[in-house]
Amino acid sequence: MDIHLEKIGVPEFVTEPCSEAQELPRKPDVQFEWHLGANLPKLQTDPRKLKIALKNLLDNAFKFTQQGRVVLRARPSKGGVEFAVTDTGVGIRAEALSVIFEPYRQVDGSDARRYGGVRLGLHIAKRLVELLGGAIAVQSTAERGSTFRVWVPRQHQAPVRDADGATPPWTRNARGKAAATGTAAAGARAPRHTLGQTAPRAVPHFSTRRLSRATEPR
């Protein structure tokens, strides 16, 4: 699959998927908002593929959320940017997290019938993010909601794999063991230096913007 690289500003970039997300089918009791961290770097990436990945995550969040909210956040992280899509939906059972990104896997037949989908967009999102040299992870609790985190590097790089085809080195903890990427266990403590960790003394400042407001300047 071809990569078409562009240098993009994150505040300007997220405007389009957020505006389109406003048109996605959702329940009347579901609110949508987005937050931008300070000092977001520019990204050299394929904006179309990144947009598709984020839209699939947003579509998934709206589809499985009956009430509450869906939130998209972006913050600087480990030489790149982390995008997080959080919802207050039905969540994912712990035993299903290991297969949530596999193609054509129906995680829960009752949920699929009730909410009209089987999360096929998650596999597409994972493939696109990895193509951009990034990674995707999920944290979820059944009946309470989910957070999908996407990390992409500031400068595009080919997907990095170990000799055995396992996870990229940057997702490994200090002991060299693979951290969960795309197969995070519900309720598990994230090891240090892994995707989605927030340092206890370096909480980024987020400015909340509703969709109707202008984007944050560079």
Side-chain angles (χ1 to χ4, degrees), residues 121-140:
L122 297 181
H123 172 68
I124 297 172
K126 182 175 185 288
R127 289 289 303 275
L128 291 174
V129 169
E130 291 178 346
L131 192 64
L132 299 177
I136 187 169
V138 58
Q139 294 173 307
S140 187

Side-chain angles (χ1 to χ4, degrees), residues 10 14 21 24 44 57 61 81 84 87 103 112 120 133 144 154 168 182 187 191 201 206 210 217:
V10 175
V14 299
L24 291 173
Q44 184 194 46
L57 296 179
V81 172
D87 66 67
L120 296 181
R144 298 193 62 179
R154 181 182 300 182
R201 295 186 180 180
F206 288 103
R210 294 286 183 178

Side-chain angles (χ1 to χ4, degrees), residues 135-175:
I136 187 169
V138 58
Q139 294 173 307
S140 187
T141 302
E143 306 303 328
R144 298 193 62 179
S146 306
T147 295
F148 287 85
R149 303 181 189 276
V150 167
W151 178 87
V152 290
R154 181 182 300 182
Q155 298 288 330
H156 175 265
Q157 57 193 37
V160 179
R161 295 285 175 178
D162 290 343
D164 60 359
T167 54
W170 67 267
T171 64
R172 292 179 174 270
N173 60 26
R175 296 179 181 178

